[in-house]
């Protein structure tokens, strides 16, 4: 696979790992938060931890859009399909997220709600065109990466005068979440969460650019390296962070220069600004209410806002008492430190959000086996 | 004196309209319309001495040896895809389920559940494809059944096939026989069928030249057994892909497995499609591949026999069976890291970004 295999070369990886091992200073620890679920997934899928020295430790951040979606929002999505009779169009990975009362979008579908998996916002538009007698709602979730396609769908719906299409917007913002983590008392004052640097999101940064992270590097003195999702990208970014920390620097560096610029995609930013505005607060699963951390549809497009059209009230629902997703998303705990991890809470029967999506920290740990020490008797011959 | 029933003219007023006709409730009603559908479509396509008897069952001569029986229901969507269709798939799938016991498949049954309104032309295409697959495999369809459900209560066509075969004496192949030290082999590139199907699903049309690998494996398996009669396990990695198959065998045998990512054959196009969709080729379905577990001393001989057959020319040794009370399947990544290859949870769902 051209443009992919180059970033999965085992030899290069082992060389990089040797360089990292040679450069880490044995007396210090390097706690690196990978904000994005895509990085968590790559780290687990390629067994990157095995290649790195023990001084480097990954902390899994809240950058999985499925993991941070609060229960109340899933409840509302189910309500749209079940109680308002709408065709609810959703991306694949929110379908299994647990909602209230052991419900989920998949279970609601099995019980008769018209919930359809789509691969893009354009698919939802198509369904709306094909079902003029039905209300069709696009369940829009995701960080800055998936926001522009939602904006395009809204603009298109208005241009076509689609009367039966609306969007239930749950788009959230990366910088606000990072700031929230850095400003948490645990990180800022108590020092209970050692957090030395960030592996920054790549896809998000193709849209917003690298500039928004400069504030964190300066204000909180934490280095940030924007990293691609391929395993070599992650290893190279670890090396860049190790070097910054060794040299006492805290800057924004861009490992993913093949797609990210400082300014980002200005056209996409303008489109998003035309259609969306900031919500003054939004609940994140695990992080609670975070001010100015999500988007809603501007008044000019309010006819297409499902929350307005269906008068959806938001009801906050507490997470399961035993679930420690909140602590895991903030880096306070590792997945296997949660009491229900791998017992009550598994990918087949997720209790908390981190176990649902393949990109969730708990699901990655469970699926790829970092939860237990395994001794293999026979090595590959 | 009564007439010989085999020479009695059926006398339907007009022949079945196989070009423009649709399945009607009457085609499953047990009356003349059903008899006509059986006569003019199924009987004609599958023609063999057992079917010609026109009984509700096939009278079979008991073969020597241990009898193997397997059944499978086919509900694939779309019904037609590159490299096959539900008809050939229903023949191959059941032949493979019989053959992976080490058996020689002898007979098949076919049960059809048809949806009212389904075009007879499509049904004919499916039936002809089944007949061709059965003929090519040398395994006749000796009995069958047809039901029709109301429009909206089916998905066009569902097909159930059951297969019967015999295992030669001395062959002991079972999922619980894997032992530490055994080698794990696959017969070729993984994930072709799953990707061929996915590329045609609604909302997901992407362009690929990948064909389904749907094929009857009994001749390949016979060649494998001839080369290495001591094979411990055979299984075709269909739904759930290689990952599910290895986990099943590991659990049945109470052993662990270590496979090597670098040695697992996956086509670049399949890898690319999976990458695009956020899927893992290890979990994608196959319909013409076999996984074998054999003692280490016969592994190379087995590999050579597989590669000598057209359906096994890309075969590879991909790993070893290890002692592990947890029955974990682990993979040595191409990076030198190690990770678990767990059962899949539900279906693989594509990632957002």
């Amino acid at each position: 696979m051209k443009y992919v295999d180059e970033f999965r070369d085992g030899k290069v990886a082992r060389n990089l790992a040797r360089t990292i091992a040679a450069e880490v200073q044995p007396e210090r620890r390097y706690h690196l938060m990978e904000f994005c679920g895509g990085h968590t997934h790559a780290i687990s899928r390629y067994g990157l931890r095995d290649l790195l020295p023990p001084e480097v430790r990954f902390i899994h951040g809240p950058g999985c859009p499925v993991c941070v979606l609060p229960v109340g929002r899933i409840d509302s999505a189910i309500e749209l399909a079940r109680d308002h009779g709408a065709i609810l169009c959703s991306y694949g990975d929110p379908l299994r997220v647990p909602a209230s009362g052991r419900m989920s979008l998949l279970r609601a579908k099995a019980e008769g709600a018209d919930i359809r998996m789509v691969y893009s916002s354009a698919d939802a538009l198509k369904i709306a065109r094909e079902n003029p007698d039905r209300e069709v709602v696009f369940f829009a979730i995701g960080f800055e990466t998936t926001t522009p396609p939602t904006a395009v769908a809204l603009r298109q719906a208005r241009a076509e005068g689609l009367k039966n299409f609306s969007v239930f917007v749950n788009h959230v913002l990366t910088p606000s979440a990072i700031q929230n983590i850095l400003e948490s008392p645990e990180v800022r004052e108590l020092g209970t969460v050692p957090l030395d640097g960030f592996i920054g999101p790549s896809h998000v940064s193709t849209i917003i650019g690298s500039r928004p992270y400069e504030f964190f590097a300066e204000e909180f003195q934490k280095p940030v390296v924007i990293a691609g999702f391929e395993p070599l990208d992650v290893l190279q970014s670890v090396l860049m962070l190790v070097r910054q920390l060794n040299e006492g620097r805290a800057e924004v560096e861009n490992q993913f220069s093949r797609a990210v610029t400082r300014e980002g995609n200005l056209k996409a930013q303008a489109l998003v600004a035309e259609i969306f505005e900031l919500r003054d607060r939004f609940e994140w699963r695990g992080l609670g209410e975070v001010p100015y951390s999500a988007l809603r549809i501007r008044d000019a497009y309010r006819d297409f806002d499902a929350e307005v059209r269906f008068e959806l009230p938001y009801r906050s629902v507490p997470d399961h008492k035993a679930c420690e997703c909140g602590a895991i998303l903030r880096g306070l705990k590792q997945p296997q430190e949660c009491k229900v991890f791998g017992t009550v809470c598994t990918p087949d029967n997720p209790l908390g959000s981190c176990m649902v999506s393949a990109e969730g920290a708990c699901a990655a740990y469970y699926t790829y086996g970092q939860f237990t020490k395994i001794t293999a008797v026979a090595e590959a011959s | 004196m009564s007439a010989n029933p085999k020479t009695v003219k059926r006398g339907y007023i007009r022949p079945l309209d196989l070009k423009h006709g649709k399945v009607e409730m009457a085609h499953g009603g047990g009356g003349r319309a059903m008899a006509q559908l059986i006569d003019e479509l199924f009987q004609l396509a599958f023609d063999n001495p057992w079917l010609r008897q026109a009984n509700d069952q096939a009278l079979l001569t008991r073969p020597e040896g241990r009898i193997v029986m397997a059944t499978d229901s086919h509900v694939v969507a779309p019904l037609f895809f590159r490299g096959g269709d539900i008809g050939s798939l229903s023949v191959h799938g059941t032949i493979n389920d019989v053959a992976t016991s080490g058996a020689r498949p002898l007979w098949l049954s076919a049960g059809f559940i048809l949806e009212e309104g389904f075009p007879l032309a499509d049904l004919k295409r499916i039936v002809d494809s089944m007949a061709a697959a059965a003929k090519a495999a040398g395994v006749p369809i000796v009995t069958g059944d047809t039901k029709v459900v109301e429009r909206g209560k089916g998905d066009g066509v569902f097909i159930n096939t059951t297969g019967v075969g015999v295992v030669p004496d001395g062959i002991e192949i079972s999922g619980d026989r894997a032992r530490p030290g055994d080698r794990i082999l696959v017969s070729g590139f993984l994930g072709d069928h799953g990707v061929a199907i996915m590329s045609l699903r609604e909302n997901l049309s992407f362009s690929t030249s990948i064909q389904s690998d749907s094929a009857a494996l009994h001749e390949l398996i016979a060649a494998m057994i001839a080369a290495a009669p001591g094979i411990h396990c055979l299984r075709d990695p269909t739904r759930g892909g290689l990952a599910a198959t290895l986990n099943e065998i590991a659990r049945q045998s109470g052993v662990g497995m270590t496979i090597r990512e670098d040695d697992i054959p996956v086509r670049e196009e399949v890898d690319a499609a999976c990458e695009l969709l956020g899927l893992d080729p290890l979990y994608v379905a196959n319909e013409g591949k076999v996984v074998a577990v054999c003692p280490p001393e016969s592994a190379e001989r087995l590999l050579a026999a597989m590669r000598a057959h057209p359906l096994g020319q890309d075969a590879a040794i991909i790993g070893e069976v290890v002692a592990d009370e947890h029955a974990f399947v682990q993979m040595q990544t191409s990076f030198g890291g190690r990770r678990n290859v767990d059962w899949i949870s539900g279906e693989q769902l594509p990632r957002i970004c």
Side-chain angles (χ1 to χ4, degrees):
Chain A
M1 267 188 294
K2 199 160 164 48
Y3 308 123
V4 172
D5 287 345
E6 295 90 326
F7 302 99
R8 295 182 183 176
D9 186 315
K11 250 191 214 156
V12 181
R14 282 185 285 278
N15 280 339
L16 264 173
R18 271 194 289 273
T19 313
I20 293 168
E23 295 198 18
V24 296
Q25 297 167 351
E27 71 283 2
R28 70 186 296 171
R29 297 289 173 268
Y30 302 80
H31 298 94
L32 310 179
M33 175 176 270
E34 84 277 6
F35 178 84
C36 232
H39 289 133
T40 310
H41 186 73
I43 288 164
S44 300
R45 178 173 170 188
Y46 296 97
L48 298 190
R49 275 184 212 87
D50 296 351
L51 300 183
L52 291 173
E55 288 83 359
V56 176
R57 187 184 152 191
F58 290 114
I59 298 169
H60 316 294
C64 162
V66 176
C67 301
V68 296
L69 201 62
V71 174
R73 291 257 153 197
I74 305 277
D75 285 352
S76 296
I78 292 171
E79 188 184 320
L80 281 167
R82 201 170 52 184
D83 304 337
H84 296 279
I87 300 174
L88 186 88
C89 302
S90 169
Y91 290 127
D93 33 9
L95 295 177
R96 274 203 297 261
V97 182
S100 297
R102 311 293 289 166
M103 188 49 76
S104 68
L105 288 168
L106 273 185
R107 286 199 178 143
K109 182 173 186 282
E111 289 181 6
D114 196 345
I115 294 167
R116 304 187 191 180
M117 186 175 82
V118 292
Y119 293 85
S120 72
S121 55
D123 291 342
L125 274 180
K126 186 167 168 254
I127 291 172
R129 284 184 210 111
E130 289 168 355
N131 295 274
D133 302 333
R134 300 277 309 276
E135 283 288 341
V136 175
V137 182
F138 176 52
F139 183 28
I141 82 160
F143 286 90
E144 288 87 342
T145 327
T146 52
T147 311
T150 305
V152 169
L154 281 161
R155 202 192 237 183
Q156 182 73 22
R158 193 164 78 167
E160 290 180 29
L162 275 179
K163 298 285 179 217
N164 63 328
F165 179 77
S166 58
V167 179
F168 179 36
V169 175
N170 293 275
H171 286 301
V172 286
L173 304 172
T174 307
S176 319
I178 294 182
Q179 185 162 350
N180 181 274
I181 289 166
L182 287 169
E183 284 183 339
S184 75
E186 292 91 346
V187 173
R188 201 182 239 290
E189 292 158 23
L190 306 177
T192 48
V193 187
L195 192 55
D196 302 309
F198 282 97
I199 297 173
S202 53
H203 290 174
V204 161
S205 307
T206 58
I207 307 294
I208 64 172
S210 64
R211 193 158 65 170
Y213 307 102
E214 290 169 4
F215 169 75
F216 307 116
E218 270 176 43
E219 172 70 17
F220 299 97
Q221 283 299 295
K222 307 284 182 197
V224 179
V225 173
I226 317 270
F229 285 132
E230 294 302 327
L232 283 187
D233 290 327
V234 177
L235 285 179
Q236 194 182 17
S237 303
V238 168
L239 179 60
M240 289 165 79
L241 282 167
V242 164
R243 283 180 177 164
Q244 278 209 49
L245 289 165
N246 286 349
E247 292 164 15
R249 289 184 291 124
E251 297 164 13
V252 175
E253 291 183 318
N254 182 10
Q255 183 276 337
F256 200 58
S257 55
R258 60 188 187 271
V260 169
T261 60
R262 183 165 179 265
E263 304 302 330
N265 183 336
L266 296 174
K267 207 172 163 187
Q269 290 169 26
L271 177 67
V272 169
E274 176 198 324
I275 288 164
F276 296 108
E277 61 186 1
L278 283 176
R279 287 179 197 258
D280 54 5
R281 47 181 62 270
F282 189 82
E283 187 187 352
W284 291 54
R285 195 165 193 165
L287 298 184
E289 289 222 333
V290 181
Y292 302 108
S293 65
L295 298 174
R296 69 163 170 240
I297 295 174
R298 283 187 187 276
D299 279 350
Y301 283 85
R302 63 183 280 123
D303 290 352
F304 297 95
D305 188 339
E307 286 176 74
V308 174
R309 186 177 294 194
F310 298 97
E311 296 176 1
L312 275 187
Y314 181 66
R315 282 180 294 270
S316 177
V317 180
D319 282 335
H320 192 283
K321 274 185 204 151
C323 171
E324 305 217 55
C325 283
I328 292 161
L329 292 176
R330 282 179 185 276
L332 290 168
K333 285 196 171 173
Q334 292 278 315
Q336 64 271 42
E337 291 176 73
C338 173
K339 280 193 193 103
V340 291
F341 175 84
T343 54
V344 183
C345 184
T346 65
D348 292 311
N349 192 19
L351 206 64
S353 54
C354 298
M355 193 58 100
V356 176
S357 160
E359 295 183 2
C362 295
Y365 268 61
Y366 188 94
T367 305
Y368 296 117
Q370 271 79 26
F371 61 96
T372 181
K373 285 193 172 145
I374 303 159
T375 47
V377 171
E379 283 296 327
S381 57
Chain B
M1 209 172 95
S2 61
N4 181 347
K6 284 177 188 165
T7 62
V8 169
K9 284 248 178 221
R10 295 291 181 164
Y12 304 114
I13 294 169
R14 26 176 191 276
L16 211 55
D17 183 357
L18 287 170
K19 211 166 177 185
H20 307 291
K22 302 263 181 233
V23 169
E24 296 167 20
M25 292 307 292
H27 286 129
R32 197 189 311 274
M34 190 167 112
Q36 186 177 12
L37 183 72
I38 291 169
D39 281 355
E40 295 183 7
L41 183 59
F42 299 120
Q43 189 111 290
L44 211 61
F46 300 148
D47 184 53
N48 58 58
W50 296 276
L51 274 184
R52 260 176 257 139
Q53 289 169 352
N55 290 324
D56 282 347
Q57 67 291 118
L59 191 64
L60 307 167
T61 306
R62 189 180 58 194
E64 289 297 314
R66 290 163 298 158
I67 291 177
V68 172
M69 181 173 165
T71 191
D72 204 349
S73 296
H74 302 270
V75 295
V76 64
L79 297 169
F80 302 96
F81 43 86
R82 268 184 298 273
D85 54 65
I86 189 172
S88 52
L89 189 68
S90 69
V91 168
H92 295 154
T94 296
I95 286 178
N96 294 346
D97 284 347
V98 171
T100 46
S101 67
R104 182 165 56 93
L106 295 174
W107 306 295
L108 290 173
S109 75
F112 290 83
I113 296 176
L114 309 175
E115 186 182 2
E116 182 185 21
F118 188 71
L120 286 177
D122 285 350
L123 182 60
K124 180 170 177 357
R125 208 174 139 196
I126 289 166
V127 169
D128 286 346
S129 163
M130 268 183 99
K135 191 173 175 199
V139 187
I141 296 167
V142 296
T143 185
D145 176 54
T146 310
K147 295 283 184 296
V148 178
V149 294
E150 283 172 30
R151 188 186 277 272
K153 291 191 173 171
D155 200 7
V157 180
F158 299 141
I159 304 175
N160 170 274
T161 44
T162 295
V164 174
V166 279
V167 189
D169 286 338
I171 300 299
E172 298 289 343
I173 293 171
S174 171
D176 61 2
R177 300 196 69 232
R179 296 290 175 266
D182 281 358
R183 298 293 188 263
I184 305 162
L185 296 88
V186 294
S187 62
F189 291 106
L190 296 175
D192 293 3
H193 176 74
V195 167
I197 294 281
M198 271 186 275
S199 72
L200 297 175
R201 290 252 163 96
E202 197 184 358
N203 298 340
L204 193 64
S205 50
F206 58 88
S207 162
T208 173
S209 55
I210 290 289
Q211 294 217 335
S212 166
D213 57 357
S214 179
L217 295 166
H218 57 309
E219 285 171 2
L220 167 66
I221 288 171
M224 289 164 68
I225 291 171
I231 292 174
H232 285 158
C233 320
L234 288 173
R235 191 156 296 177
D236 53 339
T238 53
R239 273 177 309 166
L242 178 70
T245 294
L246 295 183
N247 274 288
E248 282 165 16
I249 295 174
R251 193 167 62 172
Q252 269 180 279
S253 296
V255 295
M257 293 188 177
T258 301
I259 54 174
R260 293 177 297 275
E261 188 171 24
D262 280 342
D263 293 336
I264 299 172
V266 178
R267 282 182 213 281
E268 192 169 311
E269 296 96 310
V270 168
D271 224 4
C274 287
E275 196 60 35
L276 182 74
L277 297 169
L279 307 176
D280 187 338
L282 296 182
Y283 294 89
V284 176
N286 313 275
E287 285 295 345
K289 296 294 168 347
V290 63
V291 173
V293 175
C294 74
E297 57 275 13
S298 56
E300 287 298 333
R301 201 165 60 244
L302 179 58
L303 180 68
M306 290 165 90
R307 287 185 173 168
H309 192 278
L311 292 176
Q313 55 190 346
D314 300 303
I317 299 175
I318 61 162
E320 285 79 36
V321 176
V322 297
D324 177 5
E325 58 181 287
H326 301 289
F328 283 136
V329 177
Q330 295 184 72
M331 184 160 80
Q332 198 85 43
T333 72
S334 45
F335 269 57
R338 183 179 276 270
R339 68 141 157 121
N340 252 21
V341 178
D342 197 11
W343 298 89
I344 192 166
S345 306
E347 278 195 74
Q348 282 203 103
L349 296 174
R351 295 206 314 264
I352 294 178
C353 68

